[in-house]
């Protein structure tokens, strides 16, 4: 929310700092100064006050001053009434808006209550069990609205004539009568006095027109306003723009730090898991570890940037291929794990936008939204990767993925119910079974019964099974028989050697081969 407000202001200052805006202000200032020169040349020619009979003149001026005072008072009263009317109209509209929202809300509540009554009945609950109760003082709203309408009508009666003869006391009628009275007073004056009064009237209009051109710093498009805007461009806008850029970067860093904190929380959670697994399987080459990295999550992020660029203009982003190459290169150079890299990435994009303002390289119809997109860091994702050794989960073989899941399940699941596993050695070599799988099975069997279907001697023997169940099928009758016992049982041991080791001669032959090979290596 903070960044949205900052970007809104940044866009405003970027527009005011653009060369076209500066030129527009300077051109308008020159034009208004030319207007001032023209109006100064058109100043009404001064007419001296006529010297007539003193008593007659004093009476004339007294009448004129009196009627002018009446005109000014009436005009001021009209302005006051109009302002009062504006305030009342706003209040009336606010009440009407409130009433409309209230009606809509009441309608929605009634619809909800109707559904709530049906649901309550289905659950054998009181009909009003889920009902929303509300109160709204509609009578007071109507009362306030009526009072405001009455005030409005009274003001209109004072201001505006309806054409009825009885309405001759309205302010506009009084003003019209006062102006007519002034005209009559002037008509009775001499021609010199008429000329003088016309001169005063023309001079008043001229001074108003001149003042409107000169204006003040709040009167838009006046000389003083344009001069002040010129000064701000030179002295204030650039400084404020730089302050806003720094403020924006600080807010972006806050967002980044929150993401970083989130990753640290996950790291803390995963650390205990790593420690548990490490304790069980030790310093195996198949050590399991978690990696948490920041990366650009959206593969279409480049497209989002390209969509905001005018690819037809000469510059860094001319043509789709050139623009893609430039932005892709920027993304590849950015290590999202370091905020300074993120900052440099954004600064380069912001700099390109600012420097190319007059070329219209970027599409500005929604530049504020574009800035919000860049500043949000929604495209920077926290990537959690699980590794066995130096290989990520995605690149593990099916067997390795299976063993990884088994290690987690056996090492971390704290339940004590029996667990049946079917041939966990599938797609695995014996070394991986012995180094990684056997330790966690041995650990897990301390707190739960584990039943494993296997053809691998490492699992049956190295895991020191308490009971071996040997099964065989008569292929003529399809009858299956079972024999159970411990490893110490000679019959079971024979079955183990036959099935898992391939018979004793095969086992002895391998032992002999391994021994000969070992002796040769030593010699």
């Amino acid at each position: 929310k903070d960044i949205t407000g900052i970007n809104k202001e940044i866009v405003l200052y970027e527009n005011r700092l653009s060369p076209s805006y500066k030129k527009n202000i300077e051109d308008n200032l020159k034009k208004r100064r030319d207007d001032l020169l023209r109006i100064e040349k058109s100043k009404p020619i001064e007419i001296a006050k006529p010297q007539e009979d003193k008593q007659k003149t004093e009476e004339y001026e007294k009448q004129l001053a009196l009627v002018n005072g009446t005109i000014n008072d009436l005009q001021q009263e009209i302005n006051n009434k109009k302002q009062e009317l504006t305030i009342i109209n706003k209040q009336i509209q606010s009440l009407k808006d409130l009433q409309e929202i209230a009606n809509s809300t009441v309608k929605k509540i009634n619809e909800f209550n109707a559904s709530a009554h049906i649901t309550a009945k289905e659950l054998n609950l009181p009909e009003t069990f889920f009902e929303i109760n509300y109160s709204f003082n509609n009578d007071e709203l109507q009362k306030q609205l009526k009072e405001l309408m009455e005030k409005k009508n009274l003001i209109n009666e004072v201001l505006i004539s309806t054409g009825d003869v009885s309405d001759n006391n309205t302010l506009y009628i009084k003003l019209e009568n006062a102006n007519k009275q002034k005209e009559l007073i002037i008509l009775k004056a001499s021609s010199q006095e008429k000329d003088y009064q016309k001169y005063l009237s023309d001079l008043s209009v001229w001074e108003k027109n001149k003042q409107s051109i000169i204006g003040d710093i709040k009167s838009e498009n006046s000389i003083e306003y344009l001069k002040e805007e010129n000064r701000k461009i030179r002295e204030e806008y650039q400084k404020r723009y730089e302050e806003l850029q720094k403020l924006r970067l600080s807010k972006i860093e806050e967002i980044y730090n929150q993401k970083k904190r989130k990753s640290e929380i996950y790291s803390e959670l995963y650390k205990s898991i790593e420690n548990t697994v490490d304790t069980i399987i030790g310093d195996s080459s198949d050590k399991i570890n978690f990696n948490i990295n920041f990366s650009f999550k959206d593969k279409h992020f480049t497209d989002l940037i390209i969509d905001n660029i005018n690819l037809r203009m000469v510059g860094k982003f001319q043509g789709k291929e050139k623009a893609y190459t430039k932005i892709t290169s920027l993304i590849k150079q950015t290590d999202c794990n370091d905020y300074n890299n993120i900052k440099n990435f954004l600064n380069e994009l912001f700099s390109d936008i600012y420097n190319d303002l007059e070329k219209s390289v970027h599409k500005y119809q929604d530049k504020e939204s574009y800035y919000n997109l860049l500043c949000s860091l929604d495209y920077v994702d926290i990537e959690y990767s699980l590794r066995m050794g130096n290989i990520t989960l995605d690149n593990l073989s099916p067997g390795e993925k299976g063993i990884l899941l088994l290690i987690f399940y056996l090492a971390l699941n704290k339940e004590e119910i029996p667990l049946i596993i079917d041939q966990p050695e599938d797609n695995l070599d014996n070394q991986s079974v012995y180094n990684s799988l056997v330790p966690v099975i041995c650990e897990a069997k301390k707190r739960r019964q584990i039943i494993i279907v296997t053809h691998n001697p490492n699992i049956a023997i190295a895991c020191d099974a308490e009971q071996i169940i040997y099964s065989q099928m008569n292929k003529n009758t399809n009858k299956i028989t079972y024999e159970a016992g411990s490893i110490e049982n000679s019959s079971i041991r024979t079955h183990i050697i036959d099935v898992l080791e391939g018979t004793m001669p095969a086992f002895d032959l391998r032992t002999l081969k391994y021994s000969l090979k070992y002796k040769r290596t030593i010699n």
Side-chain angles (χ1 to χ4, degrees), residues 117-159:
H117 293 164
I118 294 169
T119 304
K121 283 182 180 178
E122 290 172 352
L123 297 171
N124 294 321
L125 294 169
E127 188 177 82
T128 58
F129 193 80
F130 301 113
E131 188 175 87
I132 295 175
N133 295 312
Y134 64 92
S135 62
F136 176 64
N137 198 339
N138 189 56
D139 291 340
E140 185 59 36
L141 187 147
Q142 294 299 329
K143 179 184 173 185
Q144 292 292 328
L145 197 57
K146 183 180 178 182
E147 288 177 2
L148 287 171
M149 290 299 295
E150 287 173 355
K151 285 182 182 178
K152 178 180 177 179
N153 292 334
L154 285 173
I155 293 172
N156 281 330
E157 286 175 9
V158 171
L159 275 176

Side-chain angles (χ1 to χ4, degrees), residues 474-509:
N474 185 322
K475 294 186 179 179
N476 294 321
T477 63
N478 291 330
K479 182 181 180 182
I480 300 174
T481 58
Y482 299 93
E483 187 177 346
S486 65
I487 297 173
E488 289 77 15
N489 184 300
S490 60
S491 175
I492 292 297
R493 196 161 58 247
T494 299
H495 290 317
I496 292 171
I497 291 170
D498 288 346
V499 175
L500 300 182
E501 300 291 355
T503 73
M504 184 59 81
F507 180 76
D508 289 339
L509 182 60

Side-chain angles (χ1 to χ4, degrees), residues 219-248:
S219 304
E220 196 168 341
N221 210 34
S222 68
I223 288 175
E224 290 302 316
Y225 172 86
L226 294 168
K227 279 166 63 179
E228 178 65 9
E229 192 69 4
N230 228 346
R231 183 194 67 77
K232 286 179 178 177
I233 290 170
R234 293 192 311 271
E235 300 174 12
E236 294 181 16
Y237 289 163
Q238 185 63 38
K239 181 181 176 183
R240 177 58 182 160
Y241 177 65
E242 290 169 3
E243 288 173 354
L244 287 166
Q245 284 182 308
K246 289 178 183 176
L247 182 59
R248 176 169 66 181

Side-chain angles (χ1 to χ4, degrees), residues 388 396-407 423-429 432-433 437:
M388 178 180 277
L396 291 175
S397 68
E400 288 169 328
K401 287 180 181 177
I403 198 171
L404 189 59
L405 292 172
L406 272 173
I407 287 170
Q423 293 188 208
E425 74 273 12
D426 282 0
N427 300 312
L428 288 173
D429 60 272
S432 295
V433 170
L437 197 53

Side-chain angles (χ1 to χ4, degrees), residues 202-225:
D202 291 345
L203 183 64
S204 176
V205 172
W206 177 84
E207 285 174 343
K208 284 180 182 177
N209 290 338
K210 179 183 176 182
Q211 188 54 42
S212 70
I213 293 171
I214 297 171
D216 55 41
I217 59 173
K218 293 182 180 179
S219 304
E220 196 168 341
N221 210 34
S222 68
I223 288 175
E224 290 302 316
Y225 172 86

